[in-house]
Amino acid sequence: MTVNLDVLMYLARIALCIAGVIALIYVILFFKSLIDTAELFQETIKALNRDMVKLEAPLDTIGQVSNTVNEVQASAKRAAVNTMNLFSTATERLSENIKKKEEAPTTTPLQTNENQPAEQTPADFKPIDSELKQTLNQTPADDESKPTTP
């Protein structure tokens, strides 16, 4: 029996060596396929980089158009807000003017306001004196008969 165990140990050592070599071959094949995959991945990344460079110009154009649209939208918004502010200001001024006109006295310049004393201004009428009455009452025929005095 001791012989059989020695033979069995010898065969196990040979089997372990063979299994180790087979495992080593599989590890080497795994790393080789991993390296091939990495090279293929690197080629794919290079192709993607070339495609991205080709797409860069159209994407820049789209970006510029988008920026222009944003600027137009912002400008339209500012114009609308300014128009609304202008309309609001004009409406407030109109309202103030209407209120001022409503608060203004309703008397005409010829009428005197009851709360204010009547003051004589240069525009008021003066009483007609007798000499002025005579000149106003003269007829054209009377003017020819009377001599004019310088």
Side-chain angles (χ1 to χ4, degrees):
M1 211 57 166
T2 54
V3 176
N4 287 339
L5 285 178
D6 287 334
V7 173
L8 194 56
M9 261 186 359
Y10 178 73
L11 288 176
R13 280 184 195 160
I14 293 175
L16 279 175
C17 287
I18 293 172
V21 170
I22 291 173
L24 190 60
I25 291 172
Y26 275 116
V27 168
I28 291 171
L29 289 175
F30 173 74
F31 281 122
K32 181 167 180 354
S33 67
L34 190 63
I35 290 171
D36 290 341
T37 304
E39 288 174 359
L40 181 64
F41 185 69
Q42 194 174 22
E43 290 175 13
T44 305
I45 287 180
K46 287 179 182 177
L48 284 173
N49 192 21
R50 284 191 307 265
D51 290 342
M52 289 298 291
V53 168
K54 289 178 186 176
L55 288 175
E56 190 172 326
L59 289 176
D60 286 341
T61 304
I62 290 171
Q64 290 173 351
V65 168
S66 175
N67 289 339
T68 303
V69 168
N70 288 341
E71 290 174 6
V72 168
Q73 187 266 344
S75 176
K77 184 178 178 181
R78 280 193 306 270
V81 168
N82 289 341
T83 303
M84 288 173 32
N85 288 339
L86 180 67
F87 181 74
S88 174
T89 304
T91 304
E92 289 174 6
R93 287 182 184 169
L94 181 64
S95 174
E96 290 173 4
N97 286 342
I98 289 173
K99 285 180 183 178
K100 285 180 183 177
K101 286 184 180 180
E102 288 176 355
E103 292 173 359
T106 57
T107 60
T108 62
L110 297 178
Q111 298 174 339
T112 59
N113 194 351
E114 297 162 359
N115 299 335
Q116 297 176 349
E119 297 177 7
Q120 187 172 1
T121 61
D124 286 339
F125 293 105
K126 295 181 180 177
I128 299 176
D129 57 351
S130 60
E131 188 177 308
L132 186 60
K133 278 185 185 178
Q134 288 176 359
T135 56
L136 290 176
N137 290 333
Q138 287 181 353
T139 60
D142 293 339
D143 287 338
E144 293 174 2
S145 61
K146 292 185 181 176
T148 58
T149 55

